[in-house]
Amino acid sequence: MPKLLRKAVLPVAGLGTRFLPATKATAKEMLPVVDKPLIQYAVEEARAAGIEQFCLVTGRGKTALVEHFDIAFELEATLRERHKTRELQLLHDAASEPGSIVTVRQQVPLGLGHAIWCARAFIGDDPFAILLPDDLVLADTPCLKQLADAYAETGGNVVAVTEVPREHTNRYGILEIGRDDGRLVEVTGLVEKPDPAVAPSNLSIIGRYVLLPEVITHLARMERGAGNEVQLTDGMAQMIGRTPFHGLRYEGRRFDCGDKVGFLEAQIAFALARPDLAPAIRKFLREYAEVPA
Ligand code: UTP
């Protein structure tokens, strides 16, 4: 029986330069899709996969992320006085169980691998999930729940994967693959941002992982990889052959909200999935569709 998966690390210390000036004084992960910040989607998805303990890897200017999960006492009191029960419920949904969220500071954004290493005391000897809040997945079964089930099945590392156009392999962590049953793929190698000419496949890792704690030992060596950053992909690659390692072709649609076009597409897709908003959105989309390119 693999150890139960109860912990998640959410790295949120990046600079979000692609969203400047919006991210000058606010965290990228606080940007809303429809009416909920990215970070709340990630925490709700993790809760739906049985996660009970969260570690936010934060940096300077990211305090709003922690505030978001606190109890907003004065706001609640005012809403109660005004009998705004629906809004009160929204506040409660955002708050976390006392003591369930801890934070560590990355101090200097040296890369995703470094951010995960900063959470080493929280991880201890337990398996853990990683969710990059700027990747949003719209799915019937939450993406991390699909990964958690695959972890329970395989007892090893599992990463969510999707096919990308071959000419884009230099933007992502790419898998070298062995056995493939169409859903689970055996991982035989991992490369961060390979040139399309040498990429071992076009299967890319998205921002959802379930990893064994051994990865910390490899990250601790602080070896610099692509972009001179400490890459999580390189740390994970060193576990291949020592522990089971699979890619999961998840069911659902992923939006890269760290990118402007992906972020705008997510607004439309998530709004269309909301019965209260869908008719109005559909109406204006039709009008825009008539605009010549
Ligand atoms: P990105 O590659 O999107 O980088 O990080 P970024 O800094 O957030 O954004 P851009 O590229 O400058 O616009 C992917 C995830 O990893 C976290 C980010 O917060 C984001 O959730 N990250 C990245 C860290 O926590 N620390 C790092 O050193 C790098």
Side-chain angles (χ1 to χ4, degrees):
M1 267 287 279
K3 253 183 158 179
L4 284 180
L5 178 67
R6 291 288 176 260
K7 294 181 177 176
V9 178
L10 288 83
V12 290
L15 300 176
T17 54
R18 284 171 291 167
F19 267 101
L20 283 170
T23 47
K24 183 181 173 194
T26 206
K28 172 173 71 172
E29 299 79 7
M30 282 304 293
L31 296 178
V33 166
V34 185
D35 52 7
K36 218 163 36 174
L38 290 171
I39 189 75
Q40 191 177 338
Y41 284 98
V43 166
E44 287 177 358
E45 182 182 326
R47 283 199 193 119
I51 301 295
E52 293 167 354
Q53 298 167 45
F54 297 85
C55 178
L56 303 186
V57 183
T58 69
R60 281 170 57 77
K62 301 276 182 165
T63 33
L65 288 165
V66 183
E67 294 286 329
H68 185 72
F69 294 99
D70 203 352
I71 295 199
F73 184 76
E74 307 88 322
L75 187 54
E76 281 197 16
T78 310
L79 292 178
R80 210 168 289 116
E81 254 168 43
R82 296 182 185 174
H83 307 291
K84 300 233 174 207
T85 41
R86 203 184 75 83
E87 288 78 1
L88 263 172
Q89 187 56 46
L90 291 174
L91 283 191
H92 284 167
D93 292 347
S96 65
E97 277 280 298
S100 64
I101 298 187
V102 299
T103 62
V104 295
R105 295 278 276 218
Q106 191 187 9
Q107 297 168 321
V108 187
L110 296 178
L112 184 55
H114 180 259
I116 300 303
W117 174 81
C118 288
R120 63 198 178 282
F122 168 82
I123 295 164
D125 291 327
D126 294 315
F128 65 103
I130 302 173
L131 298 99
L132 307 188
D134 45 10
D135 259 345
L136 266 193
V137 185
L138 190 57
D140 291 338
T141 305
C143 185
L144 192 68
K145 171 78 174 98
Q146 299 177 44
L147 277 192
D149 291 346
Y151 161 73
E153 198 179 318
T154 64
N157 305 288
V158 195
V159 291
V161 297
T162 190
E163 270 160 35
V164 295
R166 188 155 265 278
E167 62 271 25
H168 292 169
T169 56
N170 54 1
R171 300 181 189 175
Y172 307 100
I174 298 289
L175 268 57
E176 184 181 316
I177 57 178
R179 244 175 330 105
D180 182 355
D181 70 8
R183 175 179 158 263
L184 271 182
V185 195
E186 188 193 0
V187 180
T188 56
L190 287 171
V191 205
E192 185 62 31
K193 303 188 171 66
D195 193 85
V198 294
S201 77
N202 66 338
L203 265 190
S204 139
I205 305 177
I206 70 151
R208 299 289 183 277
Y209 314 67
V210 174
L211 298 181
L212 299 179
E214 286 79 9
V215 72
I216 296 297
T217 320
H218 304 299
L219 294 174
R221 285 194 278 276
M222 293 297 147
E223 285 161 10
R224 300 294 182 108
N228 198 32
E229 292 191 340
V230 180
Q231 295 289 354
L232 176 61
T233 306
D234 298 339
M236 293 192 300
Q238 296 180 56
M239 292 195 285
I240 297 167
R242 301 172 206 242
T243 48
F245 208 133
H246 293 87
L248 174 75
R249 287 198 183 84
Y250 58 93
E251 168 278 312
R253 185 149 185 189
R254 173 252 192 167
F255 302 91
D256 178 3
C257 294
D259 168 80
K260 284 188 256 291
V261 174
F263 181 69
L264 292 171
E265 194 184 344
Q267 304 287 351
I268 304 287
F270 277 72
L272 287 174
R274 288 259 304 253
D276 57 331
L277 295 173
I281 306 292
R282 250 190 225 106
K283 184 167 176 289
F284 83 58
L285 277 182
R286 247 177 255 123
E287 286 161 19
Y288 282 98
E290 282 157 20
V291 175

